[in-house]
Amino acid sequence: MAKELVAMLLAGGQGSRLYALTQKLAKPAVPFGGKYRIIDFPLSNCVNSGIDTVGILTQYQPLVLNEYIGNGQPWDLDRLYGGVHVLPPYQKASGSDWYKGTANAIYQNIAFIERYDPQYVIILSGDQICKQDYSDFLEFHKSKGAEFSVAVMEVPWEEASRFGLMVADENDKITEFQEKPKEPKSNLASMGIYIFNWDILKKYLVEDEADPNSENDFGNNIIPNLLRDNRDMYAYHFNGYWKDVGTIPSLWEANMEVLDPEHSGINLFDENWKIYSRNSGMTGHRVAENAIVEDSMITDGCNIKGTVKHSILFAGVTVEEGAVVEDAVIMGHSTIKSGAVVTHCIVAEHAVIGEHAVVGAKPEGDGVGEVATIASNVTIGANAKIGPDAMVYEDVKEGGEQ
């Protein structure tokens, strides 16, 4: 029984620009928004869009990600035929061959896709926060008689040169592709989400693999080759919430936007488009008598005796009496000791901020500015001072500075 559409989710990213947060973690496994990990978003989009066959291509630090996905049950993807499959680089007799680029990653898994004999394949990114109905995208692809379609978002012209851009005519047919150009001809940024007719994708993957000079990348190789051959290529306009959280400031910003669903467009409380996750199953959170909590998201198992303003606290965070947390993202099971002041920063899981320590500072002006970052399992000693641009990987002793 053939599947109409199979999803391939690229989740091998090292996330090097997330520094301390991805030292021991694949980028898609990074926690987000209190109860989620980044990969929950594309997986939930698949389920909500009626896609029941998903291959997840992992590579860098995959252990937490593999364990988290498990048999796919939280996303209703534990199927006998289809379901979710974690696909590490292929083991050959001569050993494992790492995925060389995005196209090579899909090429190595042609046999997986063939099992389902699909008409269409959708390629997704595992490191974006996005709520998108892929079934609308597929309808667009079919209605245009396209061989390849890419989801695009209009971005401000002054920012366009930061993106891969699709130049399209009045019928949305793609005429040109510009990769981060100095002089943009378009403000349609590629979201890195593609739908291919499977026969076309397979043909171009095989040709690309045979080219010794190729970087085996969709943006740099496959898309230019499709254009060269005048394939039917179309740009699908997406206008929902989408954010590439590949940097510390963008991850911080996206978490802050969770606190303002009316204006930001990301609503995690939407019953019609649920974001599923493998939740911790912890008790409810507790806010003590003298605690102050304003404009924040507090998740299961948190114990708050201090002050928390405009922040996101993941499951099991403790904020002791007299501690102040503001404009901060505090990941699971971290402890902010009494008298500590934690501002405009990201604190990873199982970290301890000691008594009267100071971490981060409000930036001057309106911008995001520097975001102090503390890696997981790090202890910041009592009375230590961590500056607003610090990236802390190891324990800081009492009274120390960074």
Side-chain angles (χ1 to χ4, degrees):
M1 191 177 71
K3 299 274 184 189
E4 183 183 34
L5 178 66
V6 166
M8 299 296 276
L9 177 52
L10 296 164
Q14 187 167 344
S16 54
R17 291 175 302 158
L18 291 176
Y19 305 102
L21 301 179
T22 47
Q23 213 183 357
K24 302 182 177 120
L25 206 59
K27 186 162 140 191
V30 168
F32 177 82
K35 290 185 85 156
Y36 306 97
R37 293 184 187 267
I38 292 170
I39 199 163
D40 287 330
F41 287 79
L43 281 179
S44 297
N45 288 341
C46 284
V47 176
N48 292 331
S49 304
I51 300 170
D52 65 5
T53 306
V54 185
I56 300 180
L57 288 76
T58 61
Q59 178 147 288
Y60 170 81
Q61 294 282 19
L63 291 178
V64 172
L65 194 58
N66 293 357
E67 181 182 60
Y68 183 71
I69 290 160
N71 66 354
Q73 181 266 325
W75 305 272
D76 191 29
L77 286 169
D78 51 337
R79 306 294 174 96
L80 279 174
Y81 182 64
V84 69
H85 297 262
V86 175
L87 305 168
Y90 218 77
Q91 288 286 330
K92 300 187 180 67
S94 56
S96 172
D97 193 5
W98 276 71
Y99 294 145
K100 296 193 280 286
T102 51
N104 173 258
I106 306 293
Y107 171 83
Q108 286 199 37
N109 289 287
I110 284 175
F112 169 80
I113 300 171
E114 295 273 64
R115 284 173 61 189
Y116 301 102
D117 190 24
Q119 279 176 273
Y120 308 102
V121 173
I122 185 167
I123 314 277
L124 304 171
S125 164
D127 48 19
Q128 300 171 348
I129 303 297
C130 176
K131 291 173 78 173
Q132 181 176 3
D133 188 341
Y134 302 140
S135 58
D136 284 354
F137 186 13
L138 181 61
E139 281 309 310
F140 168 88
H141 179 85
K142 289 179 185 171
S143 70
K144 292 289 188 186
E147 296 173 305
F148 164 84
S149 298
V150 55
V152 296
M153 274 199 92
E154 288 188 30
V155 294
W157 278 95
E158 60 272 19
E159 290 179 29
S161 56
R162 289 175 35 216
F163 297 93
L165 302 171
M166 297 294 166
V167 184
D169 67 16
E170 65 278 5
N171 295 318
D172 297 319
K173 186 162 185 171
I174 296 167
T175 55
E176 197 180 332
F177 173 60
Q178 294 184 295
E179 182 64 69
K180 299 182 181 168
K182 284 198 174 64
E183 294 177 10
K185 297 182 187 177
S186 158
N187 68 335
L188 299 178
S190 166
M191 294 165 61
I193 299 175
Y194 314 121
I195 291 181
F196 282 90
N197 293 0
W198 171 228
D199 56 345
I200 296 290
L201 174 58
K202 186 177 174 185
K203 168 182 158 60
Y204 279 83
L205 288 176
V206 170
E207 286 176 10
D208 178 68
E209 192 64 24
D211 176 1
N213 300 316
S214 176
E215 296 165 59
N216 308 121
D217 183 78
F218 278 102
N220 293 335
N221 307 108
I222 302 287
I223 294 173
N225 290 348
L226 290 163
L227 272 167
R228 176 199 68 199
D229 296 347
N230 292 318
R231 290 291 178 182
D232 290 322
M233 304 167 67
Y234 286 85
Y236 168 75
H237 293 253
F238 175 69
N239 53 13
Y241 183 89
W242 174 69
K243 195 159 209 132
D244 185 334
V245 287
T247 64
I248 292 286
S250 66
L251 179 63
W252 178 86
E253 214 170 12
N255 272 281
M256 292 298 129
E257 284 170 345
V258 167
L259 299 174
D260 189 13
E262 285 80 21
H263 296 105
S264 69
I266 179 163
N267 181 3
L268 298 184
F269 309 97
D270 182 355
E271 285 297 311
N272 298 321
W273 198 269
K274 283 186 179 167
I275 303 299
Y276 301 92
S277 76
R278 190 178 290 283
N279 284 336
S280 54
M282 297 180 69
T283 60
H285 55 268
R286 178 171 180 269
V287 178
E289 185 182 4
N290 297 322
I292 296 170
V293 178
E294 292 176 4
D295 193 16
S296 295
M297 180 184 269
I298 313 295
T299 26
D300 301 354
C302 287
N303 190 358
I304 301 162
K305 295 179 178 173
T307 298
V308 179
K309 294 183 177 179
H310 197 247
S311 293
I312 287 193
L313 271 53
F314 286 71
V317 167
T318 299
V319 179
E320 293 186 357
E321 213 163 325
V324 176
V325 175
E326 189 167 0
D327 294 339
V329 177
I330 313 292
M331 292 178 182
H333 306 281
S334 289
T335 300
I336 316 297
K337 297 275 197 180
S338 63
V341 178
V342 176
T343 313
H344 200 82
C345 62
I346 297 178
V347 176
E349 297 167 292
H350 299 282
V352 176
I353 311 298
E355 293 178 359
H356 301 287
V358 176
V359 176
K362 279 196 170 183
E364 293 171 16
D366 293 338
V368 170
E370 304 285 2
V371 177
T373 308
I374 311 295
S376 58
N377 297 292
V378 163
T379 297
I380 305 296
N383 300 302
K385 284 192 167 42
I386 307 299
D389 59 348
M391 183 70 57
V392 182
Y393 294 90
E394 288 169 355
D395 293 355
V396 175
K397 62 180 189 298
E398 187 173 336
E401 292 195 18
Q402 273 208 28

